[in-house]
Amino acid sequence: MRLPMLGQAGCGHLRRVVAMYLVASVIFASVAFAPAGFATTGDPTDSPVTWAVTPADAAGPDGRSWVELELDSGASVEEHLAVRNLSDREVTFSLTAADGYFTPTGRFNMLPGDKQSVAAGTWIQMDKTVTVAAGGTAVVPFKVTVPDNATPGDHAAGIAASIYSQGGSDGTQLGVESRVGFRVMTRVKGEVKAALSVKATASYDTSWNPLEPGSADLTVDLENTGNVRLSVDPSTVMNDARWPAAGTDEARTLELLPGDRRTVSVHVPQVWPLGIMTLPVTVSQGVIAPDGATQSLDPVRESVTLWAIPWPQLAIFVALLLLFAGLFQGRRRRKKELVRLVEEAREAGRREVGTP
């Protein structure tokens, strides 16, 4: 089932808003995934259903992209969400909360409906459904309650409004759950511990053109072994230039939740093969506070050794050695042959004149 893009529904002015929301779609019958900024119901005669979900206060959307909380163990707080129905008919949405996580590409997501939450997703209580009039907005309260035995640090969850539709163009019955939502980050007060484990390996990619350098590829394994969310930026320095991990730049770093593991790669071009080489690996890091500010920490520095054997250059060197050796041997053979011929000529001359 192909879901139309937001611009096709004439909602281009909402792209900047919808881009900030957690988006996921699960097609349970075929175990496939698709974008779900909005969804089309299974019945092709129905008009598309388009909606957005944002944090809110009691009066309506309050401009936040997601919810950041800081609570004591055992404490609770009431928040609100706003469901905006951008369609031309009344729609009933299912409301769910689930544990949150970051995907390998760094995008925030929440567990699908067929997986049971065991952490912060179970801390959220709210109504299971909400009915929103065509073109209307409904504000729904939800309560976040931190268990008494919750560990200090950051805990991630997500809240989503979804539609479950059925129907297939080929007569089959597909169950499609389309979800739109946002993240709920809760920091449980207590001892904050920031810790990052870094392990790096490297390999060298040889250029078989002896006049061109090769490249180095670093694989950096990152693990957040602390209890707070980290912003990390792995890189290396080579040839007086900084090479960041793939997918990162000065404006976008990776986020790691407590316990998260991520493997990133760093590609360094224009590396001449000089035998054994050592590349520095620097991982800048910072703690992301509940207000969104990042407190910088000392970077983690490692070094990785790799073999950069100059095979093409060695092959040319060996070929030149063989060439010169062959020329030298040929010259010696010719010289010996010349000496032999001279001696034979002299011997022949002595025989002719009778010289003993």
Side-chain angles (χ1 to χ4, degrees):
M1 183 178 189
R2 186 176 184 274
L3 303 181
M5 298 304 293
L6 186 58
Q8 293 175 315
C11 299
H13 63 287
L14 293 171
R15 288 177 180 172
R16 291 190 298 272
V17 176
V18 176
M20 296 185 294
Y21 305 146
L22 167 68
V23 175
S25 176
V26 182
I27 303 180
F28 292 102
S30 59
V31 197
F33 296 88
F38 66 96
T40 302
T41 57
D43 186 350
T45 62
D46 289 338
S47 58
V49 177
T50 308
W51 72 101
V53 183
T54 63
D57 55 26
D62 58 10
R64 290 178 294 174
S65 299
W66 57 78
V67 174
E68 295 271 5
L69 303 172
E70 189 172 12
L71 300 171
D72 291 312
S73 298
S76 63
V77 66
E78 184 173 272
E79 282 280 350
H80 297 80
L81 63 90
V83 182
R84 302 173 61 192
N85 180 6
L86 307 175
S87 309
D88 58 4
R89 58 191 174 93
E90 181 180 271
V91 179
T92 297
F93 299 95
S94 296
L95 301 178
T96 56
D99 294 345
Y101 64 96
F102 284 103
T103 66
T105 60
R107 185 180 296 275
F108 188 84
N109 206 342
M110 57 186 279
L111 292 181
D114 60 342
K115 292 188 177 181
Q116 185 174 1
S117 295
V118 296
T122 64
W123 301 358
I124 300 173
Q125 298 83 40
M126 61 186 168
D127 293 338
K128 293 183 178 181
T129 62
V130 62
T131 300
V132 188
T137 299
V139 175
V140 180
F142 65 91
K143 187 176 183 180
V144 180
T145 302
V146 179
D148 294 332
N149 61 349
T151 59
D154 290 333
H155 303 265
I159 286 179
S162 61
I163 290 180
Y164 186 84
S165 59
Q166 292 201 6
S169 59
D170 59 354
T172 60
Q173 293 296 312
L174 294 179
V176 181
E177 182 187 31
S178 302
R179 305 185 302 179
V180 180
F182 57 86
R183 70 174 85 170
V184 179
M185 302 295 302
T186 303
R187 173 167 294 182
V188 179
K189 294 180 181 179
E191 182 182 1
V192 172
K193 177 185 176 183
L196 179 66
S197 171
V198 178
K199 296 180 180 179
T201 58
S203 62
Y204 185 75
D205 186 15
T206 302
S207 171
W208 292 103
N209 183 345
L211 302 180
E212 292 184 356
S215 61
D217 289 286
L218 280 70
T219 300
V220 184
D221 295 322
L222 306 168
E223 181 180 4
N224 184 349
T225 57
N227 61 4
V228 289
R229 186 167 34 133
L230 295 178
S231 170
V232 298
D233 184 10
S235 64
T236 188
V237 175
M238 184 71 181
N239 300 330
D240 297 325
R242 176 183 178 273
W243 302 97
T248 64
D249 52 40
E250 295 296 333
R252 179 181 180 273
T253 57
L254 299 174
E255 291 187 36
L256 295 178
L257 292 170
D260 272 359
R261 295 182 178 182
R262 191 76 52 80
T263 298
V264 298
S265 59
V266 181
H267 179 72
V268 185
Q270 302 296 312
V271 178
W272 286 101
L274 301 176
I276 299 179
M277 303 178 62
T278 300
L279 293 179
V281 178
T282 301
V283 183
S284 302
Q285 60 171 334
V287 175
I288 303 176
D291 62 2
T294 300
Q295 177 186 356
S296 296
L297 302 174
D298 291 336
V300 178
R301 290 185 172 89
E302 298 285 339
S303 60
V304 59
T305 301
L306 71 156
W307 282 90
I309 301 177
W311 294 115
Q313 292 80 4
L314 287 176
I316 291 178
F317 180 71
V318 171
L320 289 175
L321 283 180
L322 294 175
L323 176 63
F324 284 121
L327 292 174
F328 180 73
Q329 289 294 109
R331 183 177 180 183
R332 289 186 62 185
R333 285 195 298 269
R334 288 193 296 272
K335 186 176 181 180
K336 288 182 178 180
E337 182 66 15
L338 180 60
V339 170
R340 184 183 66 80
L341 292 175
V342 170
E343 287 296 325
E344 288 180 353
R346 287 177 178 175
E347 182 64 25
R350 286 193 293 266
R351 287 196 299 267
E352 288 179 1
V353 296
T355 303

